[in-house]
Amino acid sequence: MPSKILTGGARTGADQAPQAASTKKWWILAVVALAQLMVVLDATIVNIALPSAQADLGFSDGNRQWIVTAYALAFASLLLLGGRTADLFGRKTTFLVGVVGFAAVSAVGGAATNFEMLVTARALQGAFGALLAPAALSLLNTTFTDAKERAKAFSVYGAIAGAGGAVGLLLGGVLTDALDWRWTLYVNVAIAVLAFAGGWILLTNHRDAQNSKLDVPGTVLVATGLFALVYGFSNAETHDWGSPQTWGFLIAGGVLLVAFTWWQTRAAHPLLPLRILLDRNRAASFLAVLISGAGMFGVFLFLTYYLQLNLGFSPTKTGVAFLPMVGALMVTAQIGTTVLVPRMGPKAVIPLGFAIAAVGMAWLTGIGVGSHYASAVLPQLVVTGIGLGLVMPPAMQMATGGVAAEDAGVASATVNAMQQVGGSIGTALLNTLAAGAATDYLAGRDASSKLVQAQATIESYTTAFWWSAGLFAAGALIAFLLFRRGVPQQDADAAPVVHM
């Protein structure tokens, strides 16, 4: 009898160990998702608060865009460096430093007394975000080594990456209306406390590339190249495409990135090993993230304008209006990564998602001056959310799958860089096209008429929506041509990272 009791106890203990390890994984997912939400939120949460911040601090309309652009410039420029830092010095250390730094500079931004203080804080937010985001994604990539668990984890992470912009608009509206614009920055401190505590307790500090060295020339080339590229596209919003400040920086960025690619073939310890880019499915996934990032701004940016300026929605109501899209995206994110891709493969699922999103954006062009949200916006948002849920999470999963553990950080950084650069391209391109459409509409009409002005804004929005639909349609074609046929298979020798 005693031996039976002991045997049963031993079996119970053996059963409890894997269960505890599995529970810990999902707590790690919660911590990583919280940190990623903080980074994604800050790409949009300040947007709704900008009018209040401008009135409070007294900066000009011309300077207003730099509150948004400073974050994007620092974030995009330093992402690959942040990803490699996680590989070299440890993901836990990089993650915790990123969380603390992000919270500290958010508090500085919230306490800003002038434009210079606010824009500096936003740039530093982008820099610490560039440490935090790739560390978070690489932690996910190396924590979930079982294919099914990994798919579920990436469905959550991808849904946050895709829907975080809309959640930022909602939270920004609520905080601005209920409290003050400064709380759109202070809220990061509360989020960071939870993320730091969870990270400190749950994470371990792996340094998979500890025998490598930092590629300094590569870091300089890619940081300056991405900075010039994002800066050039940002200038297209305030200048025009013919301005030297636009095409000059775009050309310089292209040249620097070509030089970076060449250097990576010669560097002893490359910042971005080209083996990461040469896998066909991974390259297709990077492009899918880039295109979806560019097209999504047609939803968030111009629909925000339409809801507030044309339909008279408050900031909070505008954020609430995006929630059905967020819900649809999160549902299809789960279905896409855990059910459809494992059964049908990315070649069927991701092009289908792009096609559905294209239909949603094309349908959204039916808005008018007297349209109603329930009929002219809500169904279209849900359709677009369904489509993006089938694109973003599976593409992020495929983009980081199969990389060696020592490359997980830089592969994750490349995903984030693609999304950020795509967003910058989309913002500049769609803003320019929308402004041109409004100008063309006003030509030969009575520009002093309020009805004519309102219709001109509608023309600008619908033009942006059509181009977003075109971007998604192009994404469907590119994804269909590039992704391999068949279902991704798990390599039996894959450890510690699942090879897709």
Side-chain angles (χ1 to χ4, degrees):
M1 180 71 73
S3 63
K4 288 182 180 179
I5 294 173
L6 288 173
T7 303
R11 185 182 299 117
T12 302
D15 291 341
Q16 286 176 343
Q19 184 178 358
S22 178
T23 302
K24 181 181 178 181
K25 287 181 182 179
W26 298 109
W27 278 111
I28 289 174
L29 171 61
V31 171
V32 167
L34 193 64
Q36 176 64 14
L37 179 63
M38 183 170 65
V39 174
V40 177
L41 280 178
D42 269 74
T44 57
I45 192 171
V46 176
N47 292 22
I48 282 182
L50 270 180
S52 299
Q54 184 178 6
D56 193 9
L57 301 181
F59 52 85
S60 67
D61 289 346
N63 284 334
R64 184 173 56 192
Q65 66 143 340
W66 290 106
I67 305 301
V68 177
T69 304
Y71 181 89
L73 282 171
F75 188 64
S77 304
L78 299 174
L79 268 168
L80 287 181
L81 174 60
R84 204 56 177 166
T85 299
D87 293 331
L88 290 170
F89 301 106
R91 298 187 183 94
K92 178 177 180 177
T93 300
T94 306
F95 179 85
L96 294 179
V97 169
V99 168
V100 171
F102 201 96
V105 296
S106 295
V108 171
T113 56
N114 53 48
F115 169 77
E116 290 77 15
M117 187 174 174
L118 180 57
V119 79
T120 301
R122 288 287 289 165
L124 289 172
Q125 274 188 312
F128 282 108
L131 274 182
L132 183 56
L137 184 52
S138 61
L139 280 166
L140 206 64
N141 194 41
T142 52
T143 298
F144 291 89
T145 55
D146 176 77
K148 290 184 178 179
E149 288 185 344
R150 191 170 185 274
K152 291 179 181 178
F154 270 85
S155 72
V156 174
Y157 184 92
I160 288 173
V167 176
L169 294 174
L170 170 60
L171 189 58
V174 170
L175 292 172
T176 302
D177 282 345
L179 297 169
D180 182 70
W181 68 268
R182 297 178 184 277
W183 282 93
T184 61
L185 293 162
Y186 288 147
V187 69
N188 291 322
V189 178
I191 298 174
V193 168
L194 295 175
F196 182 87
W200 182 268
I201 295 168
L202 296 170
L203 300 178
T204 54
N205 203 43
H206 294 293
R207 292 193 294 163
D208 295 297
Q210 58 185 322
N211 295 323
S212 297
K213 296 180 180 179
L214 184 63
D215 174 16
V216 176
T219 299
V220 173
L221 285 170
V222 75
T224 53
L226 288 172
F227 180 93
L229 202 64
V230 175
Y231 187 77
F233 279 113
S234 298
N235 275 331
E237 299 178 55
T238 51
H239 300 74
D240 57 60
W241 293 97
S243 168
Q245 293 189 54
T246 300
W247 58 260
F249 276 98
L250 292 177
I251 292 173
V255 170
L256 287 166
L257 292 178
V258 169
F260 167 73
T261 304
W262 169 81
W263 173 251
Q264 296 307 281
T265 65
R266 302 176 64 85
H269 302 283
L271 181 68
L272 177 59
L274 294 185
R275 60 181 176 269
I276 291 175
L277 301 177
L278 295 178
D279 179 83
R280 185 171 162 182
N281 273 358
R282 194 174 300 120
S285 298
F286 286 144
L287 285 174
V289 172
L290 178 82
I291 293 168
S292 58
M296 279 173 63
F297 273 81
V299 185
F300 295 140
L301 186 63
F302 294 97
L303 198 53
T304 298
Y305 292 158
Y306 175 69
L307 293 174
Q308 289 197 36
L309 300 181
N310 295 82
L311 299 190
F313 281 25
S314 68
T316 301
K317 191 175 180 181
T318 299
V320 172
F322 281 103
L323 288 182
M325 176 187 173
V326 174
L329 193 153
M330 296 188 76
V331 169
T332 52
Q334 180 73 14
I335 295 171
T337 52
T338 62
V339 179
L340 298 181
V341 171
R343 293 183 182 179
M344 302 167 62
K347 193 178 186 71
V349 177
I350 293 178
L352 174 63
F354 269 128
I356 293 172
V359 170
M361 292 306 297
W363 190 8
L364 199 54
T365 62
I367 61 170
V369 175
S371 296
H372 297 284
Y373 169 80
S375 58
V377 177
L378 176 59
Q380 296 84 337
L381 271 183
V382 171
V383 170
T384 304
I386 289 171
L388 291 174
L390 294 177
V391 174
M392 293 285 286
M396 287 184 163
Q397 181 182 358
M398 297 294 296
T400 55
V403 296
E406 64 268 21
D407 295 330
V410 75
S412 304
T414 305
V415 174
N416 281 279
M418 289 292 175
Q419 186 178 19
Q420 189 64 42
V421 172
S424 298
I425 293 171
T427 301
L429 179 64
L430 296 176
N431 261 323
T432 304
L433 292 167
T439 302
D440 291 344
Y441 182 84
L442 289 173
R445 292 183 170 88
D446 181 10
S448 62
S449 168
K450 290 186 178 181
L451 182 60
V452 171
Q453 290 176 359
Q455 190 57 47
T457 62
I458 297 297
E459 287 293 320
S460 69
Y461 303 152
T462 56
T463 298
F465 295 154
W466 275 120
W467 277 91
S468 290
L471 285 170
F472 289 145
L477 179 61
I478 291 169
F480 181 76
L481 293 174
L482 289 185
F483 277 108
R484 294 193 190 99
R485 292 182 181 276
V487 176
Q489 299 297 319
Q490 181 175 353
D491 189 339
D493 298 326
V497 180
V498 172
H499 290 257
M500 303 300 282

